[in-house]
Amino acid sequence: MPSPSNSAPSSSSAANGTRRGRPGYDQQTVLNIAVDVFNRHGYEATSMGILAENLGITKSAIYHHVPSKGDLLRLALENALGGLEGVLDDPRASTGPADARLEFVLRGTIEVLTERLPFVTLLLRLRGNTEIERDALERRRQFDRRVSELVDAARAEGSLRSDIDPRTTTRLLFGTINSIVEWYKPGGSLSGQKLADDIISMVFEGLHDKR
Amino acid sequence: MPSPSNSAPSSSSAANGTRRGRPGYDQQTVLNIAVDVFNRHGYEATSMGILAENLGITKSAIYHHVPSKGDLLRLALENALGGLEGVLDDPRASTGPADARLEFVLRGTIEVLTERLPFVTLLLRLRGNTEIERDALERRRQFDRRVSELVDAARAEGSLRSDIDPRTTTRLLFGTINSIVEWYKPGGSLSGQKLADDIISMVFEGLHDKR
């Protein structure tokens, strides 16, 4: 069960008792549960009725928190994309040798994935059937392009092996990192920090023992 | 459009004109198209009606080729799993140093993925809602376990770095390899062979230029 918050009811819900959420539910709690339901059933297959059932509140109570299912999706994707874009906007992503910048960005990406796992999972499973989804996919492509430019730069400075095409390199890096949404369990014995170390070790140094 | 084959109509279809497939459609062609439709719409969301529409034949004509939608799924998954299990059954997967056996199995897995891409894609997206799906997922887990044992053996012989937990190592290897179903285009400029070389280079030797 979600932990209750102490947010006061808004004036609109006070004016109309039927539109109030379960006392103590705030928008973030509604969003967290909605994202879990989207990931389990798929966004399109999830009706406001299914959401209400999972939240244990009425459909109209959901509308107290967000105007539509699309707004829940938009907020959830903003959480994922905002986190990823924040990594690229950090000064460490744009100063110093490209190799170090690339490592910083990959570590940051892994951190966002592990800390916002359900949100990034939702982003990675998008099919682009609505404008909200298409906008998110365009932002994701933009993120991928900027990482791809870092791969090019690291290769140009001689840090990365040149026998693998840079596009393939970028695909494999994202493939490896994104695949953790399929199995990583936050709060388990493998911390996000150790996972980031492991991935960085494998992709940059390789699994072979060089002793 | 699928290329027609010269398979003769079976006696049952000859006995009942309404049950005949489009002349020239054989079971493999029906299967190939069905798998593409399953991958696009999801297995559960694909009705026999949608399949018939994509095949350009009637529903009853599909039943000429296979008794049910489940049989199409079973045949498709057999194609993927049979290929993967064939890699492990090759003598090169069980003789010699564990490191070489692991590399052989990973290369073979990548080869099956690139050559049977739509079939493996279907397998990787299964959710396990039916007995056919659960059986396939159990065979996939069995395959994963055997690869995981190879990782343990390679680590025990000192070939693989020991600072990464072997379970994490196995997850990252499968994550990297399986992610190619999301982007690899058979018949493009990147051959399956080169892709296998690239993946083996990255995961065992790393992307850093060691010159």
Side-chain angles (χ1 to χ4, degrees), chain A residues 58-79:
Chain A
T58 62
K59 272 199 272 188
S60 51
I62 300 181
Y63 292 115
H64 161 67
H65 295 288
V66 282
S68 71
K69 191 174 86 155
D71 286 281
L72 282 168
L73 181 65
R74 196 176 40 71
L75 287 167
L77 296 173
E78 182 56 46
N79 183 309

Side-chain angles (χ1 to χ4, degrees), chain A residues 37 40-41 45-56 59 62:
Chain A
V37 179
R40 261 183 290 134
H41 299 280
T46 303
S47 64
M48 282 301 240
I50 293 176
L51 272 185
E53 214 172 279
N54 277 272
L55 285 159
K59 272 199 272 188
I62 300 181

Side-chain angles (χ1 to χ4, degrees), chain B:
Chain B
M1 287 298 293
S3 54
S5 77
N6 295 315
S7 62
S10 74
S11 57
S12 79
S13 70
N16 179 352
T18 64
R19 292 179 65 84
R20 287 191 51 187
R22 172 178 284 193
Y25 265 38
D26 59 9
Q27 195 191 53
Q28 188 60 46
T29 306
V30 170
L31 187 60
N32 290 343
I33 297 174
V35 168
D36 282 336
V37 180
F38 291 159
N39 281 333
R40 261 182 292 133
H41 298 279
Y43 170 70
E44 277 180 72
T46 304
S47 65
M48 282 301 238
I50 293 176
L51 273 184
E53 213 172 281
N54 278 273
L55 285 158
I57 59 181
T58 62
K59 272 199 272 188
S60 50
I62 300 180
Y63 292 115
H64 161 67
H65 295 289
V66 282
S68 70
K69 192 175 85 156
D71 286 279
L72 283 168
L73 181 65
R74 197 177 38 72
L75 287 167
L77 294 173
E78 182 57 46
N79 182 310
L81 287 163
L84 292 171
E85 289 161 357
V87 175
L88 286 176
D89 293 340
D90 188 291
R92 285 168 288 181
S94 44
T95 48
D99 186 44
R101 285 188 277 140
L102 177 61
E103 179 174 329
F104 171 80
V105 168
L106 296 182
R107 282 188 185 276
T109 301
I110 297 163
E111 193 179 315
V112 171
L113 254 76
T114 54
E115 290 179 359
R116 308 183 184 194
L117 198 70
F119 297 91
V120 182
T121 302
L122 185 67
L123 174 66
L124 294 177
R125 290 186 185 161
L126 281 194
R127 288 170 169 265
N129 294 325
T130 65
E131 197 172 333
I132 294 168
E133 290 170 87
R134 282 189 293 273
D135 287 350
L137 286 177
E138 179 48 38
R139 279 170 73 182
R140 185 183 156 198
R141 272 191 294 271
Q142 179 62 23
F143 177 83
D144 289 5
R145 268 195 295 273
R146 288 173 68 186
V147 176
S148 159
E149 285 162 14
L150 268 180
V151 167
D152 289 344
R155 204 161 176 271
E157 75 180 17
S159 304
L160 296 188
R161 54 191 307 153
S162 53
D163 58 337
I164 304 181
D165 183 279
R167 284 166 306 177
T168 305
T169 303
T170 305
R171 301 270 201 190
L172 293 178
L173 286 173
F174 277 121
T176 306
I177 291 174
N178 293 344
S179 71
I180 66 181
V181 304
E182 303 295 334
W183 61 271
Y184 182 68
K185 297 274 177 287
S189 59
L190 179 62
S191 70
Q193 179 65 55
K194 175 71 170 96
L195 176 60
D197 289 343
D198 290 350
I199 292 177
I200 294 296
S201 295
M202 181 180 90
V203 300
F204 284 141
E205 308 305 329
L207 293 171
H208 272 167
D209 194 333
K210 309 295 193 308
R211 286 174 308 185

